[in-house]
């Protein structure tokens, strides 16, 4: 364990990322977003696209780190593939599963992590982290 502690300053010194920060997006992901998403989510990715003014529900602001960070990757994937209703969101979010491949949708999810400056997460990871935090809090208050 001592070896890992000694390596930490070296890792930080050389800029080695210690967590799964979003990688640089692929040019293909950018093209996909600009083709299929920008009309509603906007050129600034903030939910103010040209179509958003006439929509009853404002599109998701993809630059909102808090909201995007709280949304697991599998939920983003499902929303893109199966539409907003599949994740209890707006009916105005179309289904793209018939247009985009699963690989392209995964690229878009990764791109959304880049835009929102958030880390990749899964429901299982989120649930485990929440359970661990709850257990730690419960143990601390009972001791």
């Amino acid at each position: 364990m001592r070896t890992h502690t000694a390596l930490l300053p070296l890792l930080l010194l050389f800029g080695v990322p210690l967590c799964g920060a979003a990688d640089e997006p692929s040019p293909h992901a950018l093209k996909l977003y600009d083709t299929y998403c920008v009309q509603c989510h906007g050129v600034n990715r903030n939910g103010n696209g040209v179509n958003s003014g006439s929509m009853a529900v404002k599109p998701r602001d993809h630059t909102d780190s808090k909201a995007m960070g709280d949304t697991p990757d599998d939920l983003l994937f499902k929303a893109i593939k199966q539409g907003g209703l599949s994740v209890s969101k707006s009916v105005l979010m179309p289904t793209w599963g018939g247009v985009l491949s699963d690989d392209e949708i995964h690229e878009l999810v990764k791109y959304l992590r880049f835009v929102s400056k958030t880390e990749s997460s899964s429901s299982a990871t989120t649930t485990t982290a929440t359970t661990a935090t709850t257990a730690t809090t419960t143990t601390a208050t009972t001791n």
Side-chain angles (χ1 to χ4, degrees):
M1 187 68 141
R2 188 169 179 96
T3 305
H4 298 295
T5 306
L7 289 176
L8 182 60
L10 290 173
L11 293 173
L12 293 173
L13 177 67
F14 292 106
V16 176
L18 299 177
C19 56
D23 296 327
E24 194 71 26
S26 73
H28 185 62
L30 178 62
K31 184 176 180 178
L32 289 172
Y33 192 97
D34 286 343
T35 302
Y36 298 104
C37 311
V38 79
Q39 294 83 359
C40 297
H41 295 280
V43 294
N44 294 323
R45 283 51 175 156
N46 61 1
N48 292 318
V50 295
N51 293 343
S52 67
S54 61
M55 299 173 96
V57 177
K58 186 177 181 205
R60 169 66 64 95
D61 177 351
H62 291 147
T63 65
D64 182 348
S65 295
K66 171 69 175 127
M68 292 298 291
D70 289 343
T71 307
D73 289 2
D74 53 345
L75 199 65
L76 292 173
F77 181 92
K78 186 174 181 179
I80 296 167
K81 183 170 183 156
Q82 300 175 10
L85 281 180
S86 71
V87 293
S88 301
K89 298 292 181 185
S90 175
V91 66
L92 299 175
M93 171 63 187
T95 60
W96 292 108
V99 177
L100 302 171
S101 70
D102 284 2
D103 287 342
E104 288 174 319
I105 296 171
H106 282 295
E107 279 189 70
L108 278 172
V109 170
K110 188 173 178 182
Y111 178 71
L112 292 174
R113 292 293 173 212
F114 175 79
V115 169
S116 63
K117 298 178 177 79
T118 58
E119 295 179 15
S120 184
S121 68
S122 68
S123 292
T125 304
T126 306
T127 303
T128 303
T130 303
T131 304
T133 303
T134 304
T136 303
T137 305
T138 305
T139 304
T141 56
T142 54
N143 288 337

